Amino acid sequence: QVRLIESGGGLVQAGGSLRLSCSASGRTFSDFGMGWFRQAPGKEREFVSTINWSSTFTLYADSVKGRFTISRDNAENTVFLQMDSLRPEDTAVYYCASRDFRGASRYSYEYTYWGQGTQVTVSS
Protein backbone atom coordinates (compact mmCIF):
# COMPACT_ATOMS: atom_id res chain seq x y z
CA GLN A 1 0.00 0.00 0.00
CA VAL A 2 1.40 3.34 -1.06
CA ARG A 3 1.46 6.00 1.64
CA LEU A 4 2.44 9.65 1.40
CA ILE A 5 2.88 11.63 4.59
CA GLU A 6 3.46 15.38 4.49
CA SER A 7 5.09 17.38 7.25
CA GLY A 8 6.62 20.78 7.85
CA GLY A 9 3.58 22.99 7.63
CA GLY A 10 2.79 25.67 10.16
CA LEU A 11 2.23 29.35 10.80
CA VAL A 12 4.76 31.84 9.46
CA GLN A 13 4.87 35.58 8.90
CA ALA A 14 4.89 37.02 5.41
CA GLY A 15 8.41 36.96 4.01
CA GLY A 16 9.31 33.88 5.99
CA SER A 17 10.19 30.36 4.91
CA LEU A 18 8.99 26.82 5.42
CA ARG A 19 10.24 23.50 4.14
CA LEU A 20 7.66 20.82 3.46
CA SER A 21 8.58 17.17 3.33
CA CYS A 22 6.66 14.22 1.89
CA SER A 23 7.75 10.77 2.95
CA ALA A 24 6.70 7.91 0.69
CA SER A 25 6.39 4.20 1.35
CA GLY A 26 4.88 1.14 -0.23
CA ARG A 27 6.72 1.06 -3.54
CA THR A 28 9.99 2.08 -5.22
CA PHE A 29 9.89 5.84 -4.76
CA SER A 30 12.60 6.59 -7.31
CA ASP A 31 10.55 5.21 -10.23
CA PHE A 32 7.84 7.86 -10.14
CA GLY A 33 7.22 11.53 -10.73
CA MET A 34 6.05 13.58 -7.77
CA GLY A 35 4.10 16.78 -7.35
CA TRP A 36 2.90 19.36 -4.86
CA PHE A 37 -0.56 20.87 -4.99
CA ARG A 38 -2.43 23.19 -2.67
CA GLN A 39 -6.01 24.08 -1.81
CA ALA A 40 -7.05 27.30 -0.15
CA PRO A 41 -10.43 27.67 1.62
CA GLY A 42 -13.23 28.01 -0.90
CA LYS A 43 -10.94 27.38 -3.86
CA GLU A 44 -10.12 24.44 -6.06
CA ARG A 45 -6.95 22.43 -5.66
CA GLU A 46 -4.17 23.96 -7.73
CA PHE A 47 -0.80 22.89 -9.05
CA VAL A 48 2.31 24.15 -7.26
CA SER A 49 5.30 22.20 -8.50
CA THR A 50 6.39 18.86 -9.93
CA ILE A 51 9.60 16.88 -10.37
CA ASN A 52 10.47 13.85 -12.46
CA TRP A 53 11.98 10.65 -11.13
CA SER A 54 15.60 11.67 -11.66
CA SER A 55 15.33 15.34 -10.65
CA THR A 56 16.35 16.39 -14.16
CA PHE A 57 13.08 18.19 -14.80
CA THR A 58 11.04 20.51 -12.58
CA LEU A 59 8.07 22.76 -13.21
CA TYR A 60 6.45 25.51 -11.15
CA ALA A 61 3.22 27.44 -11.14
CA ASP A 62 3.78 31.05 -12.15
CA SER A 63 2.58 32.19 -8.73
CA VAL A 64 5.46 30.43 -6.93
CA LYS A 65 8.22 30.56 -9.53
CA GLY A 66 11.40 32.02 -8.08
CA ARG A 67 10.18 31.56 -4.49
CA PHE A 68 9.60 27.80 -4.16
CA THR A 69 12.02 24.98 -4.91
CA ILE A 70 11.11 21.33 -5.32
CA SER A 71 13.66 18.58 -4.77
CA ARG A 72 13.77 14.89 -3.93
CA ASP A 73 16.02 12.43 -2.17
CA ASN A 74 15.41 9.02 -3.67
CA ALA A 75 17.61 7.33 -1.10
CA GLU A 76 15.35 8.71 1.63
CA ASN A 77 12.08 8.27 -0.31
CA THR A 78 11.28 11.92 0.30
CA VAL A 79 10.27 14.91 -1.79
CA PHE A 80 10.69 18.44 -0.49
CA LEU A 81 9.20 21.85 -1.15
CA GLN A 82 11.31 24.75 0.04
CA MET A 83 9.09 27.81 0.28
CA ASP A 84 10.72 31.22 0.63
CA SER A 85 9.35 34.76 0.57
CA LEU A 86 5.98 33.45 1.64
CA ARG A 87 2.90 35.57 1.08
CA PRO A 88 -0.53 35.49 2.71
CA GLU A 89 -1.96 34.17 -0.57
CA ASP A 90 0.19 31.06 -0.15
CA THR A 91 -2.03 30.04 2.76
CA ALA A 92 -3.50 26.63 1.94
CA VAL A 93 -3.40 22.94 2.66
CA TYR A 94 -0.45 21.53 0.73
CA TYR A 95 -0.62 18.02 -0.70
CA CYS A 96 2.04 15.84 -2.20
CA ALA A 97 1.13 13.33 -4.86
CA SER A 98 2.74 10.48 -6.75
CA ARG A 99 2.31 9.45 -10.36
CA ASP A 100 2.50 5.97 -11.86
CA PHE A 101 5.07 7.20 -14.37
CA ARG A 102 8.57 8.64 -14.23
CA GLY A 103 7.70 11.97 -15.74
CA ALA A 104 6.52 15.12 -14.04
CA SER A 105 3.04 16.57 -14.55
CA ARG A 106 1.11 19.69 -13.60
CA TYR A 107 -2.25 17.95 -13.92
CA SER A 108 -3.82 16.54 -10.77
CA TYR A 109 -5.72 13.85 -12.70
CA GLU A 110 -2.40 12.31 -13.70
CA TYR A 111 -1.58 11.47 -10.08
CA THR A 112 -2.65 8.23 -8.46
CA TYR A 113 -1.67 8.63 -4.82
CA TRP A 114 -2.17 11.58 -2.49
CA GLY A 115 -1.15 12.49 1.02
CA GLN A 116 -3.46 13.87 3.67
CA GLY A 117 -2.05 17.38 3.41
CA THR A 118 -0.29 19.81 5.71
CA GLN A 119 -1.58 23.26 6.60
CA VAL A 120 0.48 26.32 5.73
CA THR A 121 -0.69 29.65 7.09
CA VAL A 122 1.07 32.89 6.23
CA SER A 123 0.15 35.91 8.32
CA SER A 124 0.44 39.46 7.03
Side-chain angles (χ1 to χ4, degrees):
Q1 180 180 359
V2 177
R3 292 188 65 192
L4 302 174
I5 301 176
E6 301 96 335
S7 61
L11 174 64
V12 64
Q13 288 188 331
S17 298
L18 284 174
R19 189 191 196 204
L20 304 185
S21 299
C22 173
S23 178
S25 62
R27 65 177 182 176
T28 305
F29 175 77
S30 59
D31 284 347
F32 306 105
M34 300 291 293
W36 286 97
F37 294 79
R38 67 186 182 186
Q39 187 167 18
K43 295 187 177 182
E44 293 186 354
R45 188 172 299 186
E46 66 174 1
F47 166 74
V48 176
S49 183
T50 181
I51 187 167
N52 72 343
W53 70 284
S54 60
S55 303
T56 54
F57 179 83
T58 60
L59 188 64
Y60 298 91
D62 288 344
S63 59
V64 307
K65 199 173 297 182
R67 300 187 298 122
F68 290 12
T69 304
I70 191 171
S71 62
R72 64 189 295 163
D73 184 339
N74 287 343
E76 296 296 327
N77 296 339
T78 303
V79 62
F80 305 97
L81 186 68
Q82 176 67 41
M83 306 187 296
D84 299 318
S85 303
L86 282 162
R87 305 167 180 168
E89 54 264 40
D90 294 319
T91 295
V93 177
Y94 283 71
Y95 300 89
C96 75
S98 178
R99 302 193 67 210
D100 282 335
F101 302 95
R102 289 187 168 187
S105 173
R106 67 182 303 130
Y107 303 108
S108 60
Y109 61 82
E110 293 190 345
Y111 288 81
T112 304
Y113 300 100
W114 293 81
Q116 293 298 306
T118 185
Q119 176 70 47
V120 171
T121 303
V122 185
S123 63
S124 57

